[in-house]
Amino acid sequence: MLLIYCPYCKQYRDEEEFSYAGEAHIKRPQNPLAISDESWGNYLFFRKNPSDVHHEMWNHSSGCRQFFNVARDMITYEIKETYCISESPKIEKYKK
Amino acid sequence: MSGCNINRLEPLNVAGESTVINFKFNSKKYRGYKGDTLASALIANKVDVVGRSFKFSRPRGIVGHWSEEPNAIVQVGSGAGTVPNLKATQVELYEGLEAKSVNGWPTVNFDFMSLVGVFEKLMPPGFYYKTFMYPGRFWMLYEKYIRKAAGLGKVPVDSDPDYYDKENHHCDILVVGSGPSGMIAALEAGLSGADVIIADDQSEMGGSLLYSNHSLEGKSGFNWAKLLENKISSLKNVTVINRCTVFGYYDHNFLTMIERCNDHISVTSKSGPRQKLHRVRAKRVILATGAFERPLVFANNDIPGVMIASSVSAYINRYKVLPGASLVLCTNNDYAYKTAIDWKSEGNNRITIVDTRRAVKSELINQAKALGIKIIYGHGVTEAKGKKRVQAALISPLSANGSELIGGSTEIVCDVIATSGGWSAAVHLNSQTGVKPVWNRNIISFTPGKTNETQVSIGACNGSFNLIDCIQEGSEAGALMSKNLGFGKGKPKEKIALDKSENEHPTQPIFCIPHQKPSIKGLKQFVDQQLDVTAGSIELAAKEGFESVEHVKRYTALGFGTDQGKLGNVNGMAILANALNKSIEETGTTMFRPAYTPTTFGAIAGRDVKVLFDPIRYTPMHEWHKKHTKEFENVGQWRRPWYFPKVSEGMEQAVARECLAVRNKVGILDASTLGKIDVKGKDALEFLNRVYTNDFTSLTPGRCRYGLMLKEDGMIFDDGVCACIDKNHYLIHTTTGGAANVLSWLEMWKQTEWPELEVFLTSVTDVWATATISGPESRKVISKICRDIDFSDDNFKFMHLKHGTVAGIEARIFRISFTGELSFEINVPSRYGLYIWSKLIDAGDEFGITPYGTEAMHVLRAEKGFIIVGQDTDGSMSPSDMGLSWIVKEGKKFSFLGERSLHRSDLLRSDRKQFVGLLSNDSKTHVPEGSQIVTSKKKKFPMKMEGHVTSSYAHGSLGYPIALAVVENGHQRLGETVFSPQADGSFVDLKIVSPVFYDSKGERSNV
Amino acid sequence: MEKYSAFKLLKHSFSHHENWKRVWRSVSPKKSYDVVVVGGGGHGLATAYYLAKNHGIKNIAVLEKGFLGGGNTARNTTIIRSNYLWDEAAQLYELSLKLWEGLSRDLNYNVMFSQRGVLNLGHSLQDMRDIERRVNANRLNGIDGHVVFPDDIKKIAPLINISKDVRYPILGASYQPRGGTARHDAVAWGYARAADALGVDILQHTPVTGINCSEGKIKSVQTNYGEIFAKKVACVVAGNSGVLASMAGFKLPIESRPLQALVSEPLKPCLDTVVMSNAVHGYVSQSNKGDLVIGAGVDSYNGYGQRGSFHIIEHTLQAICELFPSFSRVQMNRQWGGVVDTTPDACPIIGLTPIKNLYMNCGWGTGGFKATPGSGYVFADTVANGTPHKLAAPFSIERFYTGALIDEHGAAGVAH
């Protein structure tokens, strides 16, 4: 049962207030009609699914309703940092 | 009255009073005292056999005194309030308690199944994997009997009469366990000013001090604990919760605890919730969960009268019951000597200590010697004698490391064999955080592993089995954890004058005492009594190649009982390690999962059951609906009127009447549940163009447009009418069920992909109540109560909206239609919904206005070929599949969501399933929804299915049944006859037609 | 292989069962194999078994990073059924169900496949439409099943609440009598024993730490025993598929999520069938030991921790108490999580990969256990022939580029 820091509310809140919104930092192709089926398929369905730190989006759906990013360890579930959608992760490499 | 407390040393005293309590066990009446557990009262009354074992139906007695108990599993109470599978050791006695053994037929004293004992030899571990395979169909028959023999208690038949509460906590420090280390930790944390919760599963604080004879600071351990309890209770920032088991440790310091509020109270005087689930989010956690004493494994160690040493002490000291007349105590450590001393202090001299060690020296041993207790060194109990009660112990001399016998056996007459194989730290909660416990060979126990959570284990659960160490660790942890959170300086405040630790002789690493015969061939040496797992069966499993601990556990069922292996797991691992010639470290460990002890389903469910299972959403007009129909349909969370039958009308007649009323006169529908999202901002139009397939550029204020949204995979996601309220202000209508998803979806795109767009999205579903009047007379009805709008077709065109005053209320009126008839959707603020509804009904009275429900709405739209997303589509249908290409504007400046996917090869196939209408060839037969479509009547399976019926209605306004379907390449197959095979073997012959059955030119809504 | 039977049991009882042959050999790896199967769960072991049995390939190794059957094989709720909606999925699961029906005798190991029937409940008119559609499709695919209504349901599961006066009344159900449960661990052990008897080397505690390719072709795998060469490598590692794929340099449309389950304490028989509900969101059966085996939906977030969140358990038990109000007084004994490999369409990925002679079988999500025999059967065929088996072909990874998804979310739902 995760405890998630909402960077907009600036509070730690219970997981039940949030909903998961998938891998973060996936950019929609600029001109979808110009790219191949393969590139489009990769954008649509293929995910990193790492077993170490995952950058993912969460929505504070029962709170401020803002989407934001979370960097979370996939084994320990430890949250390394949370940051706003427009931001990049502050920590580049995470210690194992 | 049978039983007379013959084992009772003195009346049990609670807070200066001793109260006799009457109870029944296996239908016999007994007496106990307030403060007893069912187990202590049964021992006092000399009830030896309390159950029968799972596989071999052997008679079983009480072994432990708390949650480790494997045998005394009882069914408490009867009727709807019965509880299966409680441990008699944890059931507090109350007046009128009735309990039964869960196994044994006809009685526990004579169990028919024990005759099966002859077949015991045919039941090695995993025997069922090796047989019952032939002949093929017979497994189901065998299984029936196996199932009957398995299982413990019985599920009640009737609904649970009790209720359960939940409470959420946020605290600085949660202390789990109020034994000596936990109490002192909580006191220190409390004194530092931290917000503390201390929970324990016993009825009072004290832990091991409640039953062990220690003296601390010149007081008995019990009195010392009581003083500490008073100090803790006087602190306002410390919450003490007793009868409360912390059963789960989840991520980020979230712990779950179950409080048994009134399970200890007699049925007649109960009130309040039966149990309460505490959900705790703690900044720091101090685990002080203690340890379990391990039994030693030897032959026939399941005969009633074989007990855990510390449990014997608990019965003597806490419950004032001497569990027998003569004791043999077998130990590999010093601590158990206390049990002999406790026994002796009750004036009973019939004690023999059998110590597996040689040449042992320590203060405790000297104390025992000084009391004149007989001690035999270098021996072990190899076998218990007796049937339904221990009659004697056989002891033999052991080699120095205890691995073999070095002499013949001697018989000692006794009726209790108490054993101690050392202590196992209760590392369960620590391990639940995803951590493997670590074996510590010095103390012969698993100890907590390193965890990511901000927690610490102290005292016995940390492997510190000495009382003095426990108190010191508690004291330090309480102060330090508080300091970490900014409370206090990290130095303990409470000064405790502790004696020096007594010197101890090391515990010998011995788990199973050898027998003259090897484990596999000899008498049964039980490791897990509840599941009849023996040392021999573990060795056999290893021999067969099940070498991993997990395999052995799963093959033999070791540790899978309701005691969760608290007594047996470590012994089992040690026996396996020995069989594999490996160390325990090499053999490995297993993880612990919640629940620490079994936890009531109802308490975990809490109040969110029955009427509160899921909120019901009602529209503002619901009061009217309730008076006019009993037929409602659940649509998402909404409860909507399904149809409004008149007296003696069935559904079919009612729906047909409602449909005809709309076609010929006027009907009224409560459409308030339709999702509504308000879209504002200077980039609102750009936003809509990106999320809808349509082009909205030409949508000017006052106009409406039917729009379609796709997911990025090109499949239809939602549809509805979008209206332009004003410049930069739009209102999106969504499906009733899709409203929340659509809002989240739109917000996600806006926030994460297009933050540069200035758009504001607001859900206004509940802000507006919507009454739709539909039918040729609808204009007359609305004109009567809305005078400030000119409703003529010239002024108020189809697919337009206007603002006006309806019966004095400001309203938005949309001229849009889901029935194909002239329609007006009247939106007013929710609080006027019921009022406007009544006004419209009154105004429509002279025109025969007819309320209609969701069913007629579905029929009417189907007659027009309008789709319902989620019924006619299923997430695999594209716009062109549904004949909706006309609202897909390809090549917009911004490639709308899903556009690219429409160009993938699978979406360009010509044989995709496409949306069509179906008419039965005889114009009479109704084809059920969900029917499949085929082109051949040859019944050869698998049959090639070319589509299925998505909507079908027997009765509507047309007088003949119609259906909607998706059929392969259907758009090109109009006029073709297809077949629908039915469950009864018949076929319905159907003709593929246009999905628009009525007013194909769309003239009626445009008048 | 020493044959198991009641007679053998009797015979061995005279020697205290001391002389049973080992279930599988304890072996050291050879330098190279014709096929290396990565993953010693049910699917991997079944793949090895059918490769050896049906395709005559004897030089096979199964590499398992932990103990055999220790992943989702050990963690699932053992439900078996084949009533899937789409032809492609239904036929694959039906092949599996047919293999289940003869599996104990084929393997000479009692996997306790108990055909006690499966009820999939409907609580809304749309649920009932979907049930009708699925049952009709199943029937025409030659799969058993019919629609039943509350009174029939009450006869099949007497403790169920069919009152209309509840939040989401039961309107009906699909019933597949041939569905049921099996003893999950036994499936892994049975396949392992039978594969071993055909010469397959089974290596436990042998994690694959690298995949070596040359010129786009598989060469070897890296392990704690060093490099093991292989003509072909078949990966069947469920939740860890993404990790293996990234070793080989490609991505998969897979996300690994926690899926939780729980059991009650053992009870006398009270539920003789499997009951599942998507709308009320939970499912339950009773094991032969007497435990109620309960599960629900996948946790919403990714994770490899074999742990999920407690609120999922709360919702699941609310659903179970709603369906069976008297179960409220039963106690939860144990709760755990597995890691399931979910795909966008709730269907598996079986087939070839961008690396020649490297094959993948993954993405079974919540439906893996029931598919074990069928999955192994078609995957073995695919690996042996180098082209997808007829029933596996629709499940190639290509579908995520062409759009030919097989959306089984409705039938998979919470359902397992």
Side-chain angles (χ1 to χ4, degrees):
Chain A
M1 193 88 129
L2 311 178
L3 185 66
I4 301 172
Y5 181 78
C6 171
Y8 295 93
C9 300
K10 305 210 183 310
Q11 275 188 29
Y12 284 94
R13 307 293 297 181
D14 201 279
E15 177 194 325
E16 285 170 282
E17 287 185 15
F18 300 85
S19 39
Y20 182 73
E23 187 179 316
H25 307 301
I26 296 172
K27 189 87 192 115
R28 187 174 196 253
Q30 280 288 328
N31 187 356
L33 295 174
I35 64 170
S36 67
D37 280 2
E38 193 181 342
S39 304
W40 182 250
N42 283 334
Y43 155 71
L44 276 184
F45 298 125
F46 288 68
R47 298 293 175 257
K48 289 191 187 126
N49 197 30
S51 59
D52 45 11
V53 173
H54 188 223
H55 294 88
E56 57 198 20
M57 292 197 297
W58 286 80
N59 179 14
H60 197 180
S61 45
S62 299
C64 65
R65 290 198 65 86
Q66 294 295 306
F67 285 79
F68 58 92
N69 296 319
V70 171
R72 189 168 56 92
D73 188 297
M74 290 291 97
I75 309 270
T76 65
Y77 297 175
E78 182 197 352
I79 293 177
K80 305 284 187 181
E81 59 177 320
T82 61
Y83 52 100
C84 297
I85 281 295
S86 54
E87 295 172 342
S88 303
K90 288 176 197 72
I91 312 167
E92 281 302 318
K93 287 240 166 158
Y94 296 95
K95 265 192 248 162
K96 262 273 177 189
Chain B
M1 184 170 294
S2 60
C4 44
N5 277 286
I6 52 173
N7 281 341
R8 184 77 65 178
L9 296 160
E10 58 185 85
L12 201 49
N13 205 309
V14 175
E17 268 182 71
S18 125
T19 315
V20 171
I21 285 177
N22 299 292
F23 70 101
K24 275 189 194 169
F25 179 68
N26 286 338
S27 306
K28 271 191 179 172
K29 290 182 183 168
Y30 297 97
R31 279 192 305 196
Y33 290 96
K34 190 167 185 218
D36 261 328
T37 61
L38 176 58
S40 66
L42 289 173
I43 294 176
N45 285 288
K46 216 178 169 325
V47 176
D48 295 336
V49 180
V50 295
R52 286 274 171 172
S53 80
F54 194 71
K55 190 164 153 188
F56 305 129
S57 279
R58 290 167 68 114
R60 289 286 165 79
I62 295 162
V63 168
H65 68 286
W66 195 241
S67 60
E68 72 283 0
E69 173 61 37
N71 289 338
I73 309 298
V74 295
Q75 180 106 20
V76 173
S78 57
T82 185
V83 190
N85 299 351
L86 292 180
K87 298 179 179 95
T89 45
Q90 289 183 293
V91 174
E92 291 181 50
L93 211 59
Y94 54 80
E95 184 62 36
L97 179 139
E98 287 182 33
K100 283 193 174 78
S101 304
V102 293
N103 272 328
W105 184 86
T107 72
V108 284
N109 275 311
F110 173 75
D111 180 25
F112 185 75
M113 279 296 290
S114 64
L115 302 179
V116 178
V118 226
F119 299 111
E120 269 181 34
K121 276 183 179 285
L122 296 178
M123 299 201 278
F127 70 96
Y128 28 76
Y129 302 125
K130 296 189 170 105
T131 182
F132 304 128
M133 285 173 278
Y134 313 89
R137 303 237 166 257
F138 270 44
W139 169 242
M140 294 304 292
L141 184 69
Y142 299 133
E143 187 185 44
K144 204 172 142 191
Y145 290 97
I146 289 173
R147 275 166 73 82
K148 269 196 182 154
L152 298 171
K154 285 194 186 110
V155 178
V157 172
D158 296 320
S159 186
D160 190 340
D162 285 313
Y163 72 94
Y164 304 85
D165 264 346
K166 289 192 187 179
E167 191 171 334
N168 289 299
H169 302 266
H170 299 267
C171 65
D172 291 322
I173 298 177
L174 171 67
V175 181
V176 185
S178 58
S181 56
M183 284 177 92
I184 203 80
L187 179 64
E188 286 299 343
L191 288 172
S192 75
D195 180 14
V196 179
I197 297 174
I198 177 166
D200 192 280
D201 55 1
Q202 301 254 2
S203 57
E204 56 189 321
M205 297 177 98
S208 60
L209 298 176
L210 293 171
Y211 63 83
S212 63
N213 268 329
H214 279 287
S215 68
L216 280 162
E217 297 185 290
K219 301 172 196 70
S220 76
F222 184 84
N223 287 336
W224 186 84
K226 288 292 129 189
L227 276 176
L228 213 57
E229 182 176 9
N230 289 340
K231 282 184 191 168
I232 293 167
S233 306
S234 70
L235 295 171
K236 293 218 157 43
N237 52 331
V238 180
T239 307
V240 178
I241 313 178
N242 290 328
R243 295 193 177 92
C244 183
T245 310
V246 180
F247 68 90
Y249 196 151
Y250 298 86
D251 288 296
H252 301 182
N253 271 354
F254 181 83
L255 293 96
T256 50
M257 341 199 281
I258 192 83
E259 182 187 357
R260 288 166 293 277
C261 307
N262 66 17
D263 281 349
H264 60 291
I265 296 169
S266 80
V267 185
T268 46
S269 41
K270 273 182 197 200
S271 65
R274 179 179 164 224
Q275 297 178 349
K276 191 195 264 185
L277 178 75
H278 297 269
R279 306 163 94 245
V280 185
R281 182 77 73 174
K283 289 189 182 133
R284 296 286 186 279
V285 176
I286 297 178
L287 297 176
T289 48
F292 291 98
E293 193 170 23
R294 273 193 307 274
L296 288 165
V297 176
F298 56 92
N300 284 341
N301 59 336
D302 66 328
I303 297 173
V306 178
M307 298 177 77
I308 306 290
S310 57
S311 298
V312 171
S313 285
Y315 288 114
I316 297 171
N317 297 330
R318 186 174 182 188
Y319 301 108
K320 311 296 175 203
V321 173
L322 196 66
S326 58
L327 170 73
V328 166
L329 176 85
C330 186
T331 180
N332 62 356
N333 63 79
D334 287 5
Y335 189 87
Y337 278 70
K338 279 192 171 292
T339 299
I341 295 167
D342 291 338
W343 187 288
K344 171 81 185 176
S345 69
E346 297 305 333
N348 182 312
N349 293 324
R350 298 169 66 192
I351 311 169
T352 311
I353 296 178
V354 180
D355 195 324
T356 61
R357 303 169 298 176
R358 300 167 180 188
V360 286
K361 260 190 206 144
S362 77
E363 287 165 28
L364 210 52
I365 295 171
N366 289 341
Q367 218 179 314
K369 271 191 200 158
L371 287 167
I373 295 171
K374 184 177 171 194
I375 307 172
I376 303 172
Y377 298 107
H379 279 64
V381 171
T382 56
E383 185 181 329
K385 289 272 184 198
K387 283 215 165 102
K388 289 177 188 165
R389 178 76 195 198
V390 168
Q391 287 165 344
L394 293 184
I395 69 164
S396 292
L398 295 168
S399 62
N401 65 4
S403 68
E404 51 196 324
L405 302 182
I406 53 170
S409 63
T410 318
E411 187 173 296
I412 307 176
V413 174
C414 64
D415 62 354
V416 175
I417 302 174
T419 72
S420 175
W423 292 78
S424 299
V427 294
H428 306 69
L429 290 175
N430 166 268
S431 172
Q432 282 183 21
T433 65
V435 176
K436 278 198 170 169
V438 181
W439 180 254
N440 181 332
R441 59 168 68 202
N442 295 323
I443 58 164
I444 316 172
S445 169
F446 283 105
T447 50
K450 198 179 163 317
T451 156
N452 255 13
E453 303 291 341
T454 43
Q455 53 131 299
V456 64
S457 294
I458 57 167
C461 75
N462 191 34
S464 307
F465 300 137
N466 183 296
L467 182 61
I468 309 296
D469 298 343
C470 288
I471 291 169
Q472 256 159 8
E473 280 181 25
S475 179
E476 283 159 18
L480 202 66
M481 280 293 197
S482 306
K483 188 191 163 210
N484 287 343
L485 294 170
F487 299 97
K489 298 209 170 104
K491 292 266 180 304
K493 293 201 166 98
E494 184 77 7
K495 294 272 175 288
I496 304 165
L498 291 175
D499 301 332
K500 270 199 194 149
S501 293
E502 294 170 341
N503 72 330
E504 273 177 68
H505 196 90
T507 304
Q508 186 179 23
I510 174 169
F511 305 89
C512 177
I513 297 175
H515 191 264
Q516 278 75 9
K517 281 189 179 171
S519 297
I520 291 176
K521 294 180 181 166
L523 296 165
K524 292 192 166 55
Q525 300 162 311
F526 287 93
V527 179
D528 183 327
Q529 297 206 17
Q530 191 175 96
L531 291 168
D532 277 343
V533 179
T534 63
S537 64
I538 292 170
E539 289 176 17
L540 283 177
K543 268 186 180 242
E544 274 192 57
F546 294 98
E547 293 169 344
S548 147
V549 178
E550 285 292 341
H551 279 163
V552 171
K553 284 180 64 178
R554 290 159 183 280
Y555 195 60
T556 62
L558 170 70
F560 279 90
T562 64
D563 54 336
Q564 298 158 324
K566 290 191 173 68
L567 298 182
N569 270 355
V570 171
N571 283 335
M573 282 178 215
I575 290 163
L576 174 65
N578 190 43
L580 297 173
N581 234 336
K582 285 185 183 171
S583 67
I584 291 183
E585 295 94 313
E586 288 165 335
T587 313
T589 173
T590 63
M591 306 274 279
F592 292 94
R593 310 280 180 197
Y596 172 67
T597 54
T599 305
T600 310
F601 281 9
I604 296 172
R607 297 275 193 124
D608 300 323
V609 290
K610 297 174 184 164
V611 69
L612 296 178
F613 177 68
D614 198 29
I616 306 177
R617 295 175 80 180
Y618 298 113
T619 74
M621 290 81 134
H622 193 74
E623 285 306 307
W624 191 93
H625 303 328
K626 263 191 349 199
K627 284 186 201 131
H628 292 85
T629 184
K630 289 190 175 60
E631 303 297 336
F632 289 90
E633 182 187 357
N634 286 317
V635 184
Q637 287 178 321
W638 291 99
R639 193 152 283 177
R640 303 188 68 181
W642 196 10
Y643 55 95
F644 293 90
K646 292 197 162 163
V647 182
S648 82
E649 247 182 8
M651 177 170 170
E652 288 169 1
Q653 292 106 316
V655 171
R657 175 180 50 74
E658 289 170 16
C659 290
L660 283 169
V662 172
R663 294 275 178 248
N664 299 329
K665 293 183 207 157
V666 59
I668 181 166
L669 173 83
D670 179 357
S672 307
T673 64
L674 219 59
K676 295 177 273 292
I677 300 168
D678 190 82
V679 185
K680 271 186 184 161
K682 72 175 171 56
D683 297 313
L685 175 64
E686 173 64 21
F687 183 76
L688 295 179
N689 273 333
R690 293 180 181 192
V691 299
Y692 275 113
T693 61
N694 322 47
D695 187 0
F696 278 78
T697 312
S698 61
L699 193 71
T700 50
R703 300 189 62 175
C704 306
R705 182 161 297 164
Y706 172 66
L708 199 59
M709 288 186 201
L710 309 182
K711 282 264 165 128
E712 274 283 59
D713 66 0
M715 301 306 164
I716 292 174
F717 170 45
D718 205 86
D719 70 343
V721 168
C722 177
C724 182
I725 308 285
D726 205 342
K727 192 164 180 279
N728 300 335
H729 185 191
Y730 297 83
L731 184 76
I732 291 176
H733 287 97
T734 74
T735 55
T736 294
N741 288 339
V742 172
L743 181 65
S744 296
W745 167 252
L746 297 179
E747 278 187 340
M748 185 184 78
W749 285 102
K750 188 211 141 343
Q751 289 181 36
T752 69
E753 200 71 33
W754 310 320
E756 71 280 5
L757 296 187
E758 190 185 296
V759 185
F760 302 94
L761 302 163
T762 313
S763 167
V764 292
T765 304
D766 299 276
V767 174
W768 300 94
T770 309
T772 299
I773 52 170
S774 189
E777 307 279 23
S778 57
R779 182 176 281 129
K780 290 180 193 155
V781 177
I782 185 66
S783 301
K784 260 177 80 181
I785 55 170
C786 177
R787 309 273 181 201
D788 55 358
I789 295 176
D790 170 5
F791 283 94
S792 70
D793 189 44
D794 287 342
N795 183 59
F796 195 166
K797 290 198 175 64
F798 183 48
M799 297 306 278
H800 279 63
L801 80 101
K802 295 219 176 280
H803 299 263
T805 314
V806 180
I809 309 300
E810 275 189 44
R812 276 182 192 163
I813 303 173
F814 298 86
R815 190 180 160 194
I816 53 181
S817 174
F818 197 40
T819 60
E821 299 297 329
L822 173 68
S823 300
F824 297 93
E825 296 202 351
I826 299 129
N827 286 261
V828 293
S830 287
R831 61 186 180 280
Y832 298 115
L834 185 58
Y835 168 77
I836 286 295
W837 180 268
S838 318
K839 285 288 167 191
L840 286 165
I841 296 268
D842 291 348
D845 191 44
E846 62 176 293
F847 308 103
I849 197 165
T850 302
Y852 64 101
T854 52
E855 188 65 18
M857 177 188 80
H858 283 181
V859 178
L860 292 162
R861 65 86 206 179
E863 290 175 349
K864 283 291 296 173
F866 296 146
I867 65 164
I868 290 183
V869 172
Q871 177 171 343
D872 299 300
T873 70
D874 62 2
S876 71
M877 304 304 292
S878 74
S880 75
D881 296 340
M882 299 309 286
L884 293 170
S885 297
W886 60 278
I887 47 170
V888 178
K889 172 78 174 170
E890 297 238 29
K892 284 194 274 187
K893 191 175 92 226
F894 189 97
S895 180
F896 63 82
L897 297 183
E899 182 180 24
R900 174 63 184 82
S901 288
L902 302 176
H903 298 273
R904 294 174 301 166
S905 61
D906 197 66
L907 279 93
L908 301 172
R909 276 190 296 119
S910 61
D911 59 346
R912 285 183 66 84
K913 287 181 183 162
Q914 293 167 340
F915 185 58
V916 294
L918 294 174
L919 286 174
S920 55
N921 279 359
D922 63 4
S923 301
K924 282 194 299 232
T925 312
H926 165 71
V927 59
E929 286 170 346
S931 294
Q932 296 286 337
I933 308 289
V934 300
T935 48
S936 159
K937 288 191 178 178
K938 271 194 205 132
K939 286 184 195 161
K940 190 170 168 290
F941 301 123
M943 283 170 99
K944 165 99 176 71
M945 288 168 263
E946 301 199 359
H948 72 277
V949 177
T950 59
S951 301
S952 180
Y953 305 97
H955 304 273
S957 70
L958 301 174
Y960 51 85
I962 59 159
L964 299 170
V966 292
V967 176
E968 280 180 17
N969 196 23
H971 293 158
Q972 305 303 319
R973 291 168 69 177
L974 300 188
E976 189 180 323
T977 294
V978 290
F979 315 110
S980 177
Q982 298 302 308
D984 61 6
S986 68
F987 287 86
V988 182
D989 296 6
L990 298 153
K991 194 161 81 187
I992 300 177
V993 296
S994 153
V996 186
F997 297 93
Y998 179 76
D999 184 29
S1000 58
K1001 291 195 179 128
E1003 286 161 343
R1004 295 186 62 91
S1005 57
N1006 229 339
V1007 291
Chain C
M1 186 170 78
E2 179 180 21
K3 208 160 156 72
Y4 289 162
S5 66
F7 170 74
K8 273 289 174 67
L9 211 52
L10 181 66
K11 192 183 141 200
H12 277 283
S13 73
F14 295 108
S15 54
H16 307 277
H17 300 283
E18 263 191 304
N19 303 318
W20 287 102
K21 249 182 86 178
R22 281 182 65 101
V23 267
W24 51 77
R25 293 162 297 137
S26 175
V27 290
S28 301
K30 297 180 206 161
K31 277 216 174 92
S32 80
Y33 288 96
D34 290 344
V35 181
V36 164
V37 177
V38 184
H43 288 234
L45 293 164
T47 303
Y49 171 69
Y50 292 115
L51 273 169
K53 185 189 169 212
N54 296 350
H55 303 282
I57 303 172
K58 303 290 169 184
N59 190 24
I60 302 172
V62 176
L63 311 184
E64 165 54 46
K65 72 172 175 150
F67 60 95
L68 288 187
N72 290 342
T73 307
R75 290 162 203 285
N76 69 88
T77 47
T78 81
I79 296 169
I80 293 163
R81 62 190 177 86
S82 65
N83 55 356
Y84 278 67
L85 174 61
W86 299 97
D87 298 350
E88 297 88 342
Q91 281 166 12
L92 182 58
Y93 284 104
E94 177 61 13
L95 166 72
S96 207
L97 181 51
K98 289 208 171 96
L99 290 168
W100 275 114
E101 285 173 323
L103 196 61
S104 292
R105 286 170 302 288
D106 185 25
L107 300 178
N108 178 238
Y109 202 87
N110 188 357
V111 298
M112 299 185 214
F113 177 42
S114 167
Q115 294 184 288
R116 57 183 68 173
V118 176
L119 284 168
N120 293 82
L121 303 176
H123 302 264
S124 70
L125 299 177
Q126 187 57 42
D127 280 357
M128 291 312 296
R129 282 180 203 111
D130 292 339
I131 283 172
E132 292 278 0
R133 176 185 174 194
R134 184 164 46 75
V135 167
N136 279 319
N138 291 158
R139 195 180 68 254
L140 302 184
N141 267 321
I143 298 168
D144 66 317
H146 48 276
V147 178
V148 289
F149 295 97
D151 291 339
D152 316 313
I153 294 170
K154 188 81 182 163
K155 278 182 204 135
I156 300 168
L159 291 179
I160 206 165
N161 186 7
I162 55 163
S163 162
K164 286 186 180 148
D165 195 23
V166 298
R167 182 66 185 89
Y168 293 112
I170 293 167
L171 304 182
S174 71
Y175 183 55
Q176 185 180 23
R178 283 165 65 236
T181 59
R183 172 87 181 102
H184 52 344
D185 294 320
V187 178
W189 301 338
Y191 271 117
R193 172 171 168 267
D196 174 87
L198 294 171
V200 174
D201 284 356
I202 295 170
L203 294 147
Q204 299 187 74
H205 307 289
T206 310
V208 168
T209 51
I211 291 178
N212 305 318
C213 313
S214 75
E215 293 166 6
K217 246 171 93 175
I218 197 80
K219 198 176 105 211
S220 63
V221 294
Q222 207 64 43
T223 72
N224 50 338
Y225 288 105
E227 199 174 2
I228 298 177
F229 291 86
K231 288 186 190 140
K232 292 179 175 182
V233 171
C235 290
V236 208
V237 296
N240 291 299
S241 298
V243 179
L244 255 92
S246 75
M247 284 178 198
F250 59 93
K251 282 210 286 188
L252 290 169
I254 278 186
E255 296 196 84
S256 298
R257 300 252 164 104
L259 172 64
Q260 302 185 72
L262 63 101
V263 289
S264 74
E265 299 179 312
L267 299 156
K268 291 275 176 271
C270 61
L271 178 62
D272 292 333
T273 191
V274 181
V275 176
M276 337 184 54
S277 166
N278 279 2
V280 174
H281 225 66
Y283 56 87
V284 54
S285 65
Q286 189 178 23
S287 77
N288 285 340
K289 205 164 128 281
D291 311 349
L292 296 173
V293 183
I294 290 168
V298 183
D299 271 67
S300 69
Y301 51 76
N302 286 21
Y304 288 83
Q306 296 189 336
R307 294 187 313 285
S309 292
F310 183 67
H311 65 95
I312 302 286
I313 298 298
E314 290 176 290
H315 293 314
T316 304
L317 286 175
Q318 283 152 15
I320 296 304
C321 292
E322 195 62 12
L323 297 174
F324 294 91
S326 71
F327 287 1
S328 173
R329 298 183 82 82
V330 170
Q331 302 196 102
M332 174 175 90
N333 200 18
R334 216 172 40 256
Q335 180 227 311
W336 66 92
V339 181
V340 293
D341 38 341
T342 60
T343 59
D345 59 357
C347 274
I349 298 165
I350 312 171
L352 285 52
T353 69
I355 309 293
K356 197 165 169 6
N357 294 337
L358 174 66
Y359 303 85
M360 273 277 174
N361 180 358
C362 59
W364 290 93
T366 60
F369 178 71
K370 69 174 83 67
T372 307
S375 161
Y377 189 96
V378 300
F379 192 47
D381 188 280
T382 303
V383 172
N385 296 318
T387 52
H389 180 273
K390 183 175 62 136
L391 293 182
F395 298 95
S396 89
I397 201 159
E398 284 305 304
R399 71 183 190 273
F400 299 100
Y401 300 117
T402 63
L405 270 58
I406 307 158
D407 197 331
E408 281 289 356
H409 280 110
V414 276
H416 296 239

